[in-house]
Amino acid sequence: MIISLTGCTPFGGKGNITELLSAPVISQEEGSVIDAIKTYHGENITLRYSQSLGYTSPVQFIDVDDDENDEAVAFYYAPNKGANIRIALLSNISGKWNVVMDKEGLGTDVFFFDVSELKDLSGNHLIVGYTTPTLRENFVVVYFTDNDVYVPDFVENCKSIISEDVTGDGYNEIIITNQMSDGQKKLRILEFDGKEKFKQINARNLSRSNIDVTQLKISENSNGKRSIYIDYRDSYNKSYTEIGTFEDGKINFNYDYHIVEKNWEYEWPLLSMDIDNDGIIEVPTVLEDKKESTRPVIKYIEWTDYCEGTANKKYFGICDTQSGVFMALPNEWQDHIYAIYRNSSWDVYSILENRPIVSVKRAIEYEDMSVDKDAHIVRSGAKLWSVKFSQEIEDEQIDYILNSIICLK
């Protein structure tokens, strides 16, 4: 039996920390875009794209000017044009790509990219987040594309960014976090003024200072309101998720579960996500393990929905912190099992009978399938896992576990 979970996705969608990669394979159309940029500069270029942002192509084809014909947006390096990454916007005229905008970015990599309509301007405009490892601050740049109105690029420093319509006016706002001089992090909402800049319409300090924000996410709640989930960590192996709800463009943190704390001593961040694909973000918490000192690799995690201001538990399971693989377990098993990790494999034991009921190990494709007929082979991301169950495990429980194996890392 083979179950394929394509990519590191929540029960089969997750986006996470952006890593720019050189394009491995390009299409003929993408090749034409590259050739146009090469001709424009008179030198070779290295095209770059963001796999982690979910883009499968190194060149993004987007209808920027709403003429029902796609333009092309590409990020690339040009050897003789400085160390920073560059952005190019190209239009197709009579079957030939032409560079209509080409600029040096404000960093060596891109960690955020979005397109958005803006009030009183036509077309779609480019929102780009730039990062440079040697700098403490990142930058967000908005490239305005309305050819009928000249608007200079908008630039603002930030630590993290997301673009969403949180005021309900039909246009995206920019939500960023900033590092303040006193170590405090500030969450700010910026709205386009309809002329030439974004203005701050609301701001709130986060509850903890001297932290690193690892993720911003927004989702609509079951009550129709939109909430923001801010994941961050401090220097003491503590991770937090702070939750706010937007009401009339303002951020309300005033309810019991506005901040969730968890111990997490690993380099990769434990992030909130829509783990069950119901459109609502769930927040992970790490459960205390009395035997953790002898088994630090395996962590017990609960996923909880706080969208209504109450704690609604969704999933319980275990996480292999080395590979980042999480496996949900039936809720009725909680407090009745323990796990033992052994060199890239682990067993889930029944406390009552003190014997393994689930065994998980890294698998080699086809070899494990042919040797062990009782094993279920599960693909999570680029890795294969062999999962075996004891005979008393019910088919419904087996299906639940197999379909919940995901990659968090």
Side-chain angles (χ1 to χ4, degrees):
M1 176 179 180
I2 302 177
I3 296 178
S4 179
L5 303 179
T6 304
C8 292
T9 55
F11 288 9
K14 171 184 180 250
N16 211 318
I17 300 176
T18 301
E19 181 179 334
L20 290 171
L21 304 171
S22 296
V25 178
I26 60 173
S27 68
Q28 182 176 353
E29 194 74 358
E30 291 161 353
S32 299
V33 171
I34 296 171
D35 289 340
I37 300 174
K38 287 180 180 178
T39 301
Y40 180 81
H41 285 296
E43 64 174 310
N44 287 328
I45 65 169
T46 303
L47 201 64
R48 305 285 277 179
Y49 79 112
S50 173
Q51 188 180 58
S52 298
L53 280 172
Y55 303 135
T56 58
S57 168
V59 178
Q60 296 305 300
F61 295 99
I62 304 162
D63 184 6
V64 171
D65 53 10
D66 288 335
D67 65 351
E68 299 185 355
N69 295 307
D70 283 346
E71 283 70 42
V73 178
F75 292 100
Y76 68 97
Y77 287 116
N80 297 316
K81 295 294 188 294
N84 284 347
I85 199 168
R86 299 185 68 85
I87 179 173
L89 173 64
L90 301 89
S91 65
N92 193 313
I93 302 174
S94 301
K96 182 179 180 181
W97 288 103
N98 297 272
V99 176
V100 296
M101 184 195 80
D102 182 86
K103 296 186 177 183
E104 181 180 6
L106 297 185
T108 56
D109 280 325
V110 170
F111 73 95
F112 180 83
F113 175 67
D114 196 13
V115 293
S116 177
E117 294 182 349
L118 296 174
K119 183 171 59 177
D120 296 334
L121 294 179
S122 64
N124 294 289
H125 307 270
L126 313 179
I127 305 173
V128 183
Y130 292 104
T131 182
T132 301
T134 56
L135 299 180
R136 293 184 62 186
E137 285 281 274
N138 302 324
F139 294 94
V140 55
V141 181
V142 180
Y143 299 100
F144 299 97
T145 62
D146 188 343
N147 292 325
D148 297 327
V149 180
Y150 172 73
V151 184
D153 300 340
F154 173 81
V155 179
E156 180 73 63
N157 61 357
C158 66
K159 296 298 288 186
S160 49
I161 177 176
I162 194 168
S163 172
E164 295 280 347
D165 177 15
V166 296
T167 61
D169 65 353
Y171 300 100
N172 279 11
E173 288 72 43
I174 294 176
I175 301 96
I176 62 175
T177 58
N178 286 113
Q179 176 75 50
M180 311 308 290
S181 58
D182 59 359
Q184 189 73 45
K185 284 289 193 308
K186 186 181 289 291
L187 182 72
R188 302 169 60 207
I189 304 176
L190 308 179
E191 180 184 62
F192 186 61
D193 65 2
K195 296 179 181 179
E196 63 176 24
K197 62 183 180 180
F198 283 80
K199 61 180 180 180
Q200 178 177 299
I201 60 172
N202 195 244
R204 289 289 300 266
N205 286 337
L206 299 183
S207 298
R208 301 291 188 274
S209 58
N210 298 311
I211 57 170
D212 287 321
V213 176
T214 52
Q215 178 180 254
L216 298 178
K217 274 201 168 183
I218 291 178
S219 73
E220 187 169 305
N221 302 334
S222 56
N223 57 15
K225 296 180 180 179
R226 295 173 71 77
S227 290
I228 185 166
Y229 298 76
I230 310 139
D231 290 314
Y232 53 83
R233 63 196 306 173
D234 62 19
S235 57
Y236 301 100
N237 294 331
K238 293 282 188 181
S239 293
Y240 306 85
T241 300
E242 194 156 356
I243 308 167
T245 300
F246 294 102
E247 298 183 45
D248 299 323
K250 296 182 179 180
I251 314 165
N252 177 23
F253 285 135
N254 299 322
Y255 55 89
D256 292 340
Y257 295 99
H258 86 279
I259 185 166
V260 180
E261 178 181 321
K262 50 251 187 182
N263 290 316
W264 189 255
E265 61 267 38
Y266 305 96
E267 289 186 7
W268 59 277
L270 183 63
L271 302 174
S272 305
M273 67 177 69
D274 179 10
I275 197 167
D276 57 358
N277 290 322
D278 65 350
I280 296 172
I281 301 295
E282 284 79 38
V283 179
T285 50
V286 181
L287 303 180
E288 181 182 358
D289 179 13
K290 296 179 181 179
K291 299 181 180 180
E292 187 175 310
S293 59
T294 60
R295 295 192 301 276
V297 175
I298 295 295
K299 291 288 187 181
Y300 300 87
I301 296 177
E302 281 186 349
W303 295 85
T304 305
D305 169 13
Y306 293 100
C307 78
E308 302 289 352
T310 58
N312 179 19
K313 176 184 167 184
K314 288 295 191 71
Y315 291 105
F316 158 77
I318 60 176
C319 177
D320 169 11
T321 59
Q322 301 304 297
S323 67
V325 168
F326 171 81
M327 182 172 71
L329 298 174
N331 287 331
E332 60 267 24
W333 289 14
Q334 191 166 350
D335 299 326
H336 299 288
I337 55 98
Y338 64 93
I340 295 179
Y341 181 87
R342 300 184 185 89
N343 191 25
S344 298
S345 66
W346 69 88
D347 294 315
V348 179
Y349 277 71
S350 163
I351 291 178
L352 181 62
E353 300 180 9
N354 198 30
R355 62 183 180 86
I357 54 177
V358 183
S359 298
V360 182
K361 69 175 184 177
R362 286 289 301 275
I364 301 174
E365 197 160 8
Y366 303 122
E367 180 178 313
D368 286 286
M369 293 165 57
S370 59
V371 172
D372 194 340
K373 301 296 184 182
D374 295 328
H376 301 263
I377 306 299
V378 179
R379 185 184 301 278
S380 178
K383 298 176 181 178
L384 287 174
W385 299 90
S386 172
V387 187
K388 293 182 65 175
F389 299 90
S390 60
Q391 292 183 350
E392 70 270 24
I393 305 302
E394 300 175 359
D395 290 342
E396 184 177 350
Q397 293 176 326
I398 291 175
D399 290 341
Y400 177 83
I401 292 171
L402 292 175
N403 285 288
S404 73
I405 297 176
I406 63 171
C407 178
L408 303 178
K409 191 173 180 179

